[in-house]
Amino acid sequence: MSEHAEKAPVIRLRGIRNQFGTQVVHDNLDLDIYRGEIVGIVGGSGTGKSVLLRTIVGLQTPRAGDIEVLGVDLNKASEEEHNDVERRWGVMFQDGALFSSLTVRENVEVPMKQIEGLDAKTRAALADLKIALVGLPYLAGDKYPSELSGGMRKRAGLARALALDPDIVFLDEPTAGLDPIGASEFDQLIRKLSRSLGLTVFLVTHDLDTLHATCDRIAVLAEKKVLVTGTMQEMLKVDHPWVHSYFHGPRARAALETAEKE
């Protein structure tokens, strides 16, 4: 029996179909993600990794299928139920997607404005706590996104995603554009926060180092569905052309060597 057999998934997708015009991106896609795990979503170009993330968080409406998050069927949920679930997830898009006209602290405070009775002083204090949590210096709170390095912007985006103490965090290519040292530090941060806060992490990536360093399981998108899920070791045994070339290529070997050294 699998370790997940008796647990209800915190994200449950069944029969998802995403289509743009005549282009079908996902067809009859199923996926389960369980509490406290970090799942890496990988796939070739055009397999709809980010589309799948956007579908779960409600930015993309599928043509068919069921989406259940934290026990709530989002297709049947009332507006109030939907809002309650949304407060229990945080999203970090590529490069942080911060508001350029707001300071880092003000950016982190944005989700907190949904909470009634939370005064400005308390919001600022909570934002400073999240800024510290992601490893940014205190003074970063007063800076604007344009004044930050790429790595600091990503950390600020993560702080905003954590603003409401979510159960689930969605990360879209979190290490894209970072140098190897910055990417490695961000991988370690994700792993540490997931373990210390009990976060479930849905992580879209193409970075093999990130898969080795952070992910408990990997879900491969191919042929318009989730072709296979499993650990890194299980991926190495999958007999499928794309999966084999991805997990056995030169970059995969280099990532494995790096992981073994650490």
Side-chain angles (χ1 to χ4, degrees), residues 87-234:
R87 288 191 192 103
R88 295 177 64 189
W89 72 51
V91 186
M92 179 191 147
F93 294 105
Q94 289 189 42
D95 200 37
L98 300 166
F99 296 107
S100 60
S101 60
L102 301 180
T103 64
V104 169
R105 183 179 299 107
E106 290 166 342
N107 265 284
V108 177
E109 286 181 48
V110 168
M112 299 178 190
K113 292 181 178 176
Q114 302 172 34
I115 303 173
E116 290 181 21
L118 201 60
D119 62 84
K121 187 176 179 182
T122 305
R123 277 204 312 267
L126 288 171
D128 285 338
L129 187 65
K130 304 302 179 186
I131 289 165
L133 191 65
V134 299
L136 284 173
Y138 178 76
L139 292 175
D142 294 320
K143 294 187 180 296
Y144 290 90
S146 60
E147 299 176 292
L148 302 178
S149 67
M152 290 176 79
R153 275 198 303 276
K154 286 180 184 287
R155 286 176 186 255
L158 182 57
R160 189 176 65 184
L162 295 172
L164 298 180
D165 297 325
D167 295 283
I168 305 169
V169 174
F170 295 90
L171 306 175
D172 192 4
E173 298 281 8
T175 58
L178 295 182
D179 62 74
I181 293 173
S184 176
E185 288 175 346
F186 202 88
D187 288 339
Q188 291 168 26
L189 175 64
I190 293 167
R191 187 85 186 165
K192 176 182 156 191
L193 290 174
S194 172
R195 294 298 172 256
S196 61
L197 302 176
L199 292 172
T200 303
V201 181
F202 182 103
L203 192 161
V204 171
T205 188
H206 66 275
D207 191 327
L208 283 151
D209 289 321
T210 294
L211 294 175
H212 276 288
T214 67
C215 294
D216 301 303
R217 278 197 307 143
I218 297 160
V220 178
L221 297 188
E223 298 172 16
K224 300 183 175 63
K225 61 182 186 288
V226 175
L227 184 76
V228 64
T229 65
T231 64
M232 179 63 76
Q233 291 306 312
E234 288 168 333

Side-chain angles (χ1 to χ4, degrees), residues 58-79:
L59 297 175
Q60 158 69 27
T61 303
R63 293 289 183 92
D66 297 312
I67 303 169
E68 192 177 287
V69 179
L70 296 164
V72 177
D73 183 338
L74 297 184
N75 290 348
K76 298 175 183 173
S78 66
E79 186 178 352

Side-chain angles (χ1 to χ4, degrees), residues 28-57:
N28 204 27
L29 180 151
D30 296 344
L31 178 63
D32 288 336
I33 294 179
Y34 297 89
R35 187 173 299 281
E37 67 174 351
I38 303 175
V39 177
I41 311 298
V42 302
S45 179
T47 54
K49 301 182 291 293
S50 295
V51 170
L52 186 59
L53 184 158
R54 292 169 65 86
T55 300
I56 300 170
V57 301

